[in-house]
Amino acid sequence: MRHFLTLKDFTKEEILEMIDLAATIKAQTKKREYVPYLEHQTLGMIFEKSSTRTRVSFETGIYQLGGIGLFLSSNDIQLGRGEPMKDTARVISRMVDMVMIRTYSQKKLEEFAAYSKVPVINGLSDEYHPVQLMADYLTMREFGKDQNPVCAYVGDGNNMAHSWLMLAGKLGFELRIATPVGYECDESIVADALEAAKQSGAKITFMNDPKAAVTGADVVTTDTWVSMGQESEKEKRLAAFAGYMVDEAMMALAKEDAIFLHCLPAYRDYEVSEETFEKHAEEIFTEAENRLHAQKGVMVWLDRRREEQK
Ligand code: CP
Ligand code: NVA
């Protein structure tokens, strides 16, 4: 059975199949054609961290597909009081048809999947945020930036940077990652992405100069400097990321028609200036909306693979 824990587990063709499915379902949704691809199915949604977009998009998405979502905050279920992940997996996966989890380490997610009877989707871990990248790529396609784009990620070498790495590695586009010294991407994830790049032809480069990264880029993106769980490091991080704000001076180095993406929530005048954010609001909020459609593509794709294996 297939899970959706990291883009590393998928081929280029599979990722594009999910994106195509998402685009089809988005077009249907826009016409208020709610095709019950997942009729009567239940999606369990376990959250160990806060969320606006992930919660609303998954819950609305499964409903639009004819199913229902169960919001399970770890503050409310026994997981938060110490019930093991593997027991939680064995209970919940006997009752629902699919599970989405937002948690800390990828290992916890893998443990859940190992014990689950149903497909598991990563709704963000410390290492990856793959559903976000599906929405980002759908947005790039809609804005005409999916044909050999040059993408620049400026900021923390975190879950978003890692997911950009895997997307570029799999699909074969150019990605430049600029991080401050000490905030680089995880070495093993970099190695995996470079391995994928050998096959896809992706050009992936790393630097400590954000200006060099964005020069001539088609897509510029960033993320918060202080991810969930890093609140105690806030002061140290704000100091380390000085010079990494994406602002109009930085965007002026990118192509004239470059788009700016941000997974949100955005912290104005830290990783992105208020002016740049508002100038690119249409792209950013289309990206947010595309969480809904991209994830419907992922859920329907996983369900189809499961059906084929029966
Ligand atoms: N981008 C994203 O995952 O947003 P939430 O944390 O609000 O779900
Ligand atoms: N890197 C951020 C992404 C939020 C969607 C975090 O993990 O908090």
Side-chain angles (χ1 to χ4, degrees), residues 102 124 129 158-160 223-224 227-228 263-265:
R102 168 166 285 197
L124 179 145
H129 197 3
N158 62 10
N159 44 13
M160 279 303 298
D223 184 19
T224 180
S227 285
M228 290 181 275
C263 64
L264 303 176

Side-chain angles (χ1 to χ4, degrees), residues 168-297:
K170 290 288 177 173
L171 298 191
F173 59 79
E174 179 169 352
L175 175 66
R176 305 167 185 164
I177 297 206
T179 55
V181 175
Y183 294 90
E184 288 89 358
C185 293
D186 178 273
E187 276 177 24
S188 76
I189 294 174
V190 169
D192 287 340
L194 294 179
E195 191 56 39
K198 276 188 204 159
Q199 212 188 326
S200 68
K203 185 174 173 210
I204 299 176
T205 48
F206 301 91
M207 52 204 85
N208 303 118
D209 178 0
K211 293 194 178 97
V214 301
T215 299
D218 298 288
V219 179
V220 178
T221 187
T222 183
D223 184 19
T224 180
W225 296 339
V226 187
S227 285
M228 290 181 275
Q230 297 173 335
E231 292 76 7
S232 65
E233 298 172 29
K234 186 173 173 186
E235 290 313 313
K236 194 177 99 189
R237 286 179 159 267
L238 296 191
F241 285 87
Y244 276 75
M245 184 197 296
V246 179
D247 57 11
E248 286 307 281
M250 208 183 278
M251 286 303 291
L253 300 169
K255 287 212 183 110
E256 210 178 328
D257 63 347
I259 61 168
F260 173 76
L261 297 178
H262 194 308
C263 64
L264 303 176
Y267 298 89
R268 310 297 214 284
D269 299 328
Y270 287 98
E271 76 272 10
V272 58
S273 71
E274 169 74 16
E275 193 185 0
T276 297
F277 185 92
E278 291 303 335
K279 210 167 157 182
H280 294 274
E282 186 54 30
E283 295 135 35
I284 297 167
F285 291 106
T286 299
E287 176 189 11
E289 179 193 333
N290 279 341
R291 292 291 304 279
L292 171 64
H293 309 296
Q295 290 159 192
K296 284 187 285 187

